[in-house]
Amino acid sequence: MEYPTNIYLSPFHTSIYRESMISDKGISIKFLLFLLVCVYVSGDDAEVRCIAREREALLSFKNGLIGDDGILSTWRSDECCEWYGVECSNTTRHVIALQLNTCDLEGVLQGEVPDCWEKMPYLSSLNLADNSFSGEIPRSFGSLLHLIALQLRGNNLSGELPSTLRLCQELELIDVGGNELTGEIPTWIDELFGMVFLNLHRNKFHGSIPGRICNLTRIRILDLSINKLFGKIPDCFNNFTALAQLNTIQAQRWVGYYYVFQHNGNLPNKKFRPIYAYSAIQWKGQESEYRKNLPLLKLIDFSSNSLIGNIPKSFSSMLGLISLNLSRNSLTGNIIGDIGEMEMLECLDLSHNQFSGELPTSLAQLQYLAVLDLSNNDLSGKIPTSTQLQSFNASAYDENDGLCGPPLASCPEDSLRPSTTNPNEKDDNSLSFMQEVCISLGFGFIFGFWGVVGTFILKKSWRIAYFNFWDDVGDWFYVRIGVFVSKWRRS
């Protein structure tokens, strides 16, 4: 059968045909785009290729190390995103995290950290904690403009914090505790306005605490303990807005064990990227490693320095603070009267200072307090009464000669006071048995005698009947005696 080669369509059918063709083309294009997206996404997830210059930078870092004990043996393949401790972005392929903590790593330049960071500009997390690095912190860290978490604690690093770190404007976490760092706390620290966690614990920093540190309004953990700091504590802690709020996790940016969620305001949609971060914190008298719970902590630790002066009044504005440790300094004056406003406090250590005066009554308002140490001060007066304060061991108040009240010895005003009456008089409680008997007999005689006599005086009929009764009794005895005597005589 042959079909006609020339087919003539009406204008109406022609328009329908054209619309159907256009529609089919649109569906085909959309389908092809969908397939391309699927192929791109699946391929991207399945095969993340590292960038060549970043691979070279990682190899340069490895070549500057000794003593990795085979931990970096995987650092040989072409795919650096599969190397131990390396994480790449699934979309950009850039190296975004380097987690080489607790690997016993050491530099080859006197154990220094290899200085090769310019070629990894997209690194967001760098963790070299608990290794054997020494020397100064590389200045090239300042080229890591997207760095969020820098963890170098537990090494033997020396020198000062490099000023180039001020260029890392996205930094939220700096943990350099447990090193040999020196110098003053840099005044440029407030330029890192997004700082949430700053740990300078157990170093050799000296000088005073700079007032500009209070410009870190988002700070949640500030640990300056075990250094050589001196001078007064700046009175500006009301600027710490994150510590003034109750314990809520911020929605856009926070530091945790597996994730730091960072919102990039320059992008049309929210973008989040995973960062590994954790730290060791002095908490309730022990140094513990915090991971998932790190974002929940709100802590200030200035202990074991040479700080002087009073506790700033602005401390009481930190309503969400959970732990405050000012122990082992030379602080003086009274404990701030409105310390009870810091209602979330679970740990309070003010021991080994020179605080004086009475304990503020508002201390009894701290209902979550689980750890308290006020020992070795010059405190006096009665310990305020509350369920929490009396539950602590007496050692929490030791070496305060003027303190009294439970759990310590009773206060003098709580004992029995001397009587204000004549000293020759005695209280009823001190009466002897014979005195009590005499008093009872006296009251008995009064009520018994006057009860009968008074009745006879008031009731004539009772009085006549009473005396008639005794007349009859007397007559009866008289007759009986007379009969008895006459019988005796006859016999």
Side-chain angles (χ1 to χ4, degrees):
M1 179 181 292
E2 294 183 359
Y3 292 93
T5 56
N6 296 326
I7 298 178
Y8 295 93
L9 300 175
S10 66
F12 172 74
H13 289 92
T14 301
S15 62
I16 292 178
Y17 177 76
R18 288 177 178 174
E19 289 177 2
S20 64
M21 291 294 292
I22 294 173
S23 176
D24 290 341
K25 288 182 179 179
I27 294 174
S28 300
I29 292 173
K30 290 180 180 177
F31 181 73
L32 288 174
L33 288 174
F34 175 76
L35 288 178
L36 288 173
V37 169
C38 291
V39 171
Y40 173 77
V41 172
S42 62
D44 187 66
D45 287 340
E47 188 177 2
V48 179
R49 298 291 184 183
C50 71
I51 297 175
R53 67 171 185 174
E54 295 183 359
R55 180 180 182 276
E56 293 174 3
L58 289 172
L59 290 175
S60 177
F61 172 75
K62 179 187 176 183
N63 293 334
L65 300 176
I66 58 174
D68 60 39
D69 294 330
I71 292 177
L72 303 184
S73 60
T74 61
W75 287 34
R76 296 174 181 173
S77 65
D78 293 335
E79 185 44 73
C80 67
C81 294
E82 297 177 356
W83 293 354
Y84 176 85
V86 178
E87 182 182 350
C88 298
S89 169
N90 287 334
T91 56
T92 66
R93 301 182 300 165
H94 286 294
V95 175
I96 60 172
L98 187 58
Q99 308 294 316
L100 295 176
N101 54 295
T102 321
C103 294
D104 198 26
L105 300 178
E106 183 179 358
V108 295
L109 311 177
Q110 297 180 354
E112 294 181 351
V113 178
D115 194 359
C116 56
W117 304 101
E118 296 90 345
K119 295 181 180 180
M120 288 186 285
Y122 293 94
L123 197 65
S124 297
S125 176
L126 177 59
N127 189 347
L128 301 178
D130 300 313
N131 282 293
S132 301
F133 290 114
S134 60
E136 297 186 353
I137 298 175
R139 293 182 57 82
S140 59
F141 279 170
S143 63
L144 303 176
L145 301 183
H146 297 283
L147 193 64
I148 296 176
L150 176 61
Q151 296 169 270
L152 302 174
R153 75 168 189 283
N155 284 283
N156 296 306
L157 298 172
S158 58
E160 301 182 0
L161 286 176
S163 59
T164 53
L165 284 179
R166 69 202 304 175
L167 302 176
C168 304
Q169 289 292 295
E170 296 188 22
L171 264 176
E172 294 188 4
L173 181 149
I174 294 180
D175 186 356
V176 294
N179 282 285
E180 301 291 328
L181 297 174
T182 58
E184 298 185 354
I185 298 176
T187 56
W188 51 259
I189 198 72
D190 69 324
E191 297 179 25
L192 304 176
F193 58 90
M195 186 62 60
V196 175
F197 181 107
L198 180 60
N199 186 2
L200 308 182
H201 162 80
R202 200 183 292 274
N203 277 285
K204 296 180 179 180
F205 289 105
H206 62 267
S208 60
I209 300 175
R212 294 176 65 177
I213 204 170
C214 293
N215 293 331
L216 302 177
T217 58
R218 298 182 63 246
I219 199 76
R220 299 172 69 94
I221 295 179
L222 180 58
D223 191 346
L224 309 180
S225 61
I226 315 181
N227 279 286
K228 298 181 179 181
L229 302 175
F230 54 82
K232 295 184 177 181
I233 302 174
D235 191 3
C236 55
F237 288 83
N238 52 313
N239 290 344
F240 290 157
T241 54
L243 294 179
Q245 300 169 355
L246 297 182
N247 209 4
T248 56
I249 300 178
Q250 298 180 2
Q252 291 184 346
R253 298 165 65 119
W254 55 276
V255 180
Y257 171 41
Y258 281 123
Y259 300 100
V260 170
F261 292 128
Q262 183 186 26
H263 169 53
N264 189 335
N266 297 324
L267 297 177
N269 299 313
K270 291 183 178 180
K271 298 292 182 182
F272 300 97
R273 51 187 176 185
I275 301 298
Y276 303 85
Y278 64 93
S279 185
I281 298 295
Q282 190 79 11
W283 172 250
K284 296 185 177 181
Q286 296 180 348
E287 187 170 285
S288 304
E289 194 172 84
Y290 279 80
R291 297 176 179 265
K292 292 182 179 179
N293 292 332
L294 186 63
L296 301 178
L297 289 181
K298 292 185 175 182
L299 174 148
I300 286 183
D301 192 344
F302 295 165
S303 62
S304 300
N305 283 288
S306 300
L307 301 174
I308 61 173
N310 301 330
I311 298 179
K313 293 183 178 180
S314 58
F315 266 49
S316 61
S317 65
M318 296 185 289
L319 306 183
L321 193 66
I322 295 178
S323 177
L324 175 61
N325 191 347
L326 302 178
S327 65
R328 301 183 184 279
N329 281 287
S330 299
L331 299 172
T332 57
N334 297 336
I335 298 175
I336 51 176
D338 51 357
I339 193 172
E341 298 294 323
M342 305 167 73
E343 57 184 81
M344 300 304 296
L345 271 181
E346 295 183 25
C347 182
L348 177 62
D349 191 348
L350 305 179
S351 63
H352 295 272
N353 279 287
Q354 299 171 23
F355 291 117
S356 59
E358 297 185 355
L359 294 179
T361 56
S362 68
L363 202 62
Q365 299 173 209
L366 302 178
Q367 57 181 338
Y368 299 116
L369 203 59
V371 175
L372 176 67
D373 194 350
L374 303 177
S375 63
N376 292 275
N377 280 288
D378 295 320
L379 299 169
S380 59
K382 185 177 181 179
I383 298 173
T385 302
S386 76
T387 304
Q388 295 297 105
L389 298 182
Q390 272 65 51
S391 67
F392 295 111
N393 192 283
S395 60
Y397 306 97
D398 275 352
E399 302 300 325
N400 289 282
D401 294 337
L403 273 185
C404 59
L408 301 179
S410 299
C411 296
E413 59 267 25
D414 293 335
S415 60
L416 292 175
R417 296 180 179 179
S419 175
T420 57
T421 59
N422 191 318
N424 294 325
E425 297 180 0
K426 294 184 177 180
D427 296 334
D428 291 342
N429 293 334
S430 63
L431 295 176
S432 65
F433 174 75
M434 291 305 299
Q435 287 174 321
E436 292 177 350
V437 171
C438 293
I439 291 173
S440 299
L441 290 175
F443 280 107
F445 172 76
I446 292 173
F447 286 106
F449 177 79
W450 287 107
V452 175
V453 173
T455 302
F456 291 158
I457 292 175
L458 297 176
K459 294 287 280 185
K460 182 178 179 181
S461 58
W462 286 21
R463 184 170 66 248
I464 294 173
Y466 177 77
F467 286 113
N468 287 336
F469 169 76
W470 284 112
D471 286 341
D472 292 340
V473 171
D475 292 342
W476 183 83
F477 274 107
Y478 178 76
V479 172
R480 296 297 294 178
I481 293 172
V483 173
F484 175 79
V485 170
S486 66
K487 288 183 179 179
W488 179 73
R489 286 179 178 177
R490 288 175 186 174
S491 61

